[in-house]
Amino acid sequence: MIWLPGAVFYMGSDSHYPEEAPVHLASVEGFWIDVFPVTNADYARFVSATGYVTVAERSPGAEDYPDADPALLVPGSLVFRRPASVEDPGDWTRWWSYQSGACWRHPDGPGSDVAGRLDHPVVHVCHEDALAYAHWAGKDLPTEAEWEYAARGGLDRAEFAWGDVLVPEGRHRANIWQGQFPVENLAEDGFEGTSPRPSGPSRPTATASTT
């Protein structure tokens, strides 16, 4: 973990997603934050020590989802499937579908596992699951302002966490989608899905402990 002193910074963006606007001043007190994301190996140690069962591994209650298809009231989670074509760009159900058996242990559904992805970020965890891990580790979850301040790495009002150019000198600095979403994934950064935890410097992206 690293310590970040308190500060006032410009939070949000007027150039990207509408929910990030408007840019506004925000303040944070000093806090500690993990430098790297929580990996599958990290989460496996937590589950082994506590026996914790994630929300995706529990059966949803019919009383909580009275309008749901009873066939979907089984443990599972949403899984991304790249469609061949999309007629309605607003219909996210064309590329996200509820998959029974999908959870952090089986990220792509039954038959998949994390054996070759232990150093990849854990997925299929909700806020409740993340908070349980953080408390087990003696930490807490960062606020949105803390996370954005940390992820900016001191570059206040920059377009991206590393500067104002998306691909400086032709080198991708983040694992993001390249190509026409959701039908084309060029994977120019080398990863079609999640990427392993880097061994070099990285922006803080995980649990935080405030003081």
Side-chain angles (χ1 to χ4, degrees):
M1 303 186 82
I2 60 172
W3 169 259
L4 296 179
V8 176
F9 71 105
Y10 283 92
M11 180 175 173
S13 172
D14 295 326
S15 305
H16 299 280
Y17 298 103
E19 61 267 23
E20 297 175 345
V23 172
H24 59 282
L25 283 173
S27 63
V28 293
E29 298 182 356
F31 61 98
W32 290 93
I33 192 164
D34 286 352
V35 176
F36 298 108
V38 176
T39 65
N40 287 311
D42 295 329
Y43 210 78
R45 283 191 287 272
F46 158 61
V47 171
S48 176
T50 65
Y52 182 81
V53 178
T54 62
V55 170
E57 297 172 283
R58 309 173 201 166
S59 295
E63 65 280 6
D64 295 324
Y65 305 95
D67 299 324
D69 180 348
L72 297 179
L73 294 178
V74 294
S77 185
L78 291 179
V79 173
F80 179 85
R81 306 290 189 199
R82 183 152 52 98
S85 63
V86 172
E87 296 179 1
D88 180 5
D91 183 11
W92 59 267
T93 63
R94 291 297 306 275
W95 53 89
W96 286 105
S97 60
Y98 191 78
Q99 174 67 63
S100 62
C103 63
W104 75 272
R105 302 174 189 271
H106 309 290
D108 298 317
S112 66
D113 57 47
V114 297
R117 293 180 269 189
L118 290 175
D119 57 349
H120 284 229
V122 64
V123 297
H124 295 299
V125 291
C126 68
H127 181 270
E128 178 182 330
D129 304 326
L131 189 62
Y133 171 88
H135 288 175
W136 170 78
K139 305 176 183 181
D140 202 350
L141 296 180
T143 65
E144 183 180 3
E146 288 172 338
W147 189 94
E148 181 169 330
Y149 175 65
R152 285 184 174 277
L155 299 181
D156 201 15
R157 282 184 281 188
E159 282 293 293
F160 308 103
W162 52 87
D164 292 316
V165 179
L166 178 60
V167 189
E169 300 179 350
R171 177 170 172 258
H172 287 281
R173 300 295 300 275
N175 179 8
I176 61 174
W177 189 280
Q178 295 97 34
Q180 182 183 358
F181 182 86
V183 298
E184 178 188 48
N185 188 351
L186 301 176
E188 293 173 345
D189 56 18
F191 305 102
E192 187 170 353
T194 58
S195 54
R197 185 165 79 175
S199 56
S202 175
R203 292 286 185 254
T205 55
T207 55
S209 178
T210 58
T211 61

